[in-house]
């Protein structure tokens, strides 16, 4: 092994795929749970905006996962499956809280049941999906090289043309186009790794 070269560290989460969680040592179980917690906390808190609810969703997701984890070929495949389980738990949380709100409202306020509901469940799921996707895109953007991040922000956030970007960065339009292409490709790669699709 060459000096100074770090070997990739395998995630403890991947142990879920090949081992009986309940047969693992308490210390290893704790480490796996902590890694899972770190992996899913940010996207969940972003969605539900409530720490206690986030912790409940994480715990319920983890219980469901350890009882039905599939064999995964690699860590990326496992993490994609974990995201789906967590996403479904967030949907369930929103369905339950919406139902509870409706029950409270129906006790105190007359509701015309023939009127269309303002939020269909499918649109609620889409809203959750969009928020999760937006969070993932923000994370991907933050992980880009500063040069690429600046180009993307100039092009899409400030809506500058290639010529305006070239002027601002004192370079050529061709160089801007080339670097933006590279920045988009880097974003796509990072996003597909995180989103798992």
């Amino acid at each position: 092994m060459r000096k100074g070269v770090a070997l990739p560290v395998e995630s403890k989460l991947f142990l879920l795929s090949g081992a009986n969680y309940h047969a693992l040592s308490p210390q290893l179980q704790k480490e796996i749970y902590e890694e899972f917690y770190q992996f899913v906390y940010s996207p969940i808190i972003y969605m539900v905006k409530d720490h206690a609810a986030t912790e409940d969703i994480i715990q319920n997701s983890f219980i469901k996962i350890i009882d039905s984890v599939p064999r995964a070929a690699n860590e990326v495949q496992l993490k994609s499956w974990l995201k789906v389980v967590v996403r479904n738990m967030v949907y369930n949380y929103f369905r339950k809280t919406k139902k509870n709100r409706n029950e409270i409202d129906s006790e105190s306020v007359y509701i015309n049941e023939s009127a269309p509901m303002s939020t269909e469940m499918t649109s609620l799921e889409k809203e959750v999906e969009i928020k999760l996707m937006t969070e993932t895109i923000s994370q991907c953007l933050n992980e880009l090289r500063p040069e690429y991040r600046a180009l993307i922000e100039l092009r899409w956030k400030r809506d500058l043309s290639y010529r305006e970007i070239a002027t601002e960065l004192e370079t050529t339009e061709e160089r801007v186009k080339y670097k933006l292409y590279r920045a988009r490709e880097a974003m796509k790669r990072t996003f597909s790794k995180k989103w798992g699709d």
Side-chain angles (χ1 to χ4, degrees):
M1 185 172 84
R2 288 184 306 173
K3 268 189 169 178
V5 176
L7 294 174
V9 178
E10 190 176 89
S11 161
K12 295 254 186 329
L13 276 178
F14 194 59
L15 292 174
L16 287 172
S17 182
N20 175 358
Y21 177 80
H22 301 290
L24 299 172
S25 72
Q27 180 60 33
L28 196 50
Q29 287 179 0
K30 182 180 176 198
E31 288 172 17
I32 291 170
Y33 179 77
E34 285 171 356
E35 192 170 318
F36 176 74
Y37 186 97
Q38 294 299 322
F39 177 62
V40 299
Y41 183 85
S42 293
I44 297 173
I45 192 73
Y46 178 80
M47 295 301 304
V48 301
K49 308 281 192 268
D50 180 84
H51 176 72
T54 298
E55 294 220 320
D56 287 346
I57 291 167
I58 291 172
Q59 288 170 5
N60 292 337
S61 300
F62 193 72
I63 289 166
K64 183 171 180 130
I65 284 161
I66 60 174
D67 290 336
S68 61
V69 68
R71 291 228 177 246
N74 54 51
E75 192 172 333
V76 172
Q77 196 178 65
L78 177 69
K79 285 186 172 180
S80 295
W81 180 78
L82 294 176
K83 286 178 192 174
V84 170
V85 172
V86 170
R87 201 175 302 158
N88 289 339
M89 293 301 273
V90 171
Y91 292 160
N92 290 342
Y93 166 79
F94 281 120
R95 280 189 195 107
K96 184 178 171 192
T97 54
K98 181 175 184 264
K99 182 181 173 196
N100 289 345
R101 269 198 315 269
N102 287 345
E103 285 172 1
I104 290 166
D105 290 346
S106 67
E107 290 170 4
S108 57
V109 180
Y110 170 74
I111 294 176
N112 179 357
E113 292 188 11
S114 64
M117 294 295 282
S118 61
T119 306
E120 293 289 328
M121 203 44 65
T122 53
S123 67
L124 181 62
E125 288 175 3
K126 286 204 185 312
E127 187 181 328
V128 170
E129 186 101 19
I130 288 166
K131 283 187 178 180
L132 285 170
M133 195 175 280
T134 304
E135 171 74 7
T136 305
I137 290 169
S138 284
Q139 288 173 355
C140 293
L141 195 57
N142 288 335
E143 290 174 19
L144 281 182
R145 287 170 37 185
E147 170 187 31
Y148 288 168
R149 188 168 53 243
L151 281 167
I152 287 175
E153 287 175 356
L154 289 170
R155 179 72 175 144
W156 285 284
K157 287 191 178 175
R158 289 184 43 196
D159 202 25
L160 298 183
S161 68
Y162 293 127
R163 180 175 290 159
E164 290 168 326
I165 295 170
T167 303
E168 186 155 322
L169 299 178
E170 298 176 356
T171 187
T172 65
E173 280 185 63
E174 295 309 310
R175 192 94 177 120
V176 167
K177 287 178 187 176
Y178 171 74
K179 286 194 172 184
L180 267 170
Y181 170 78
R182 298 288 302 265
R184 281 193 301 267
E185 289 302 302
M187 270 291 282
K188 278 186 208 168
R189 281 193 303 275
T190 309
F191 182 80
S192 66
K193 278 183 199 164
K194 286 182 178 297
W195 196 249
D197 292 341

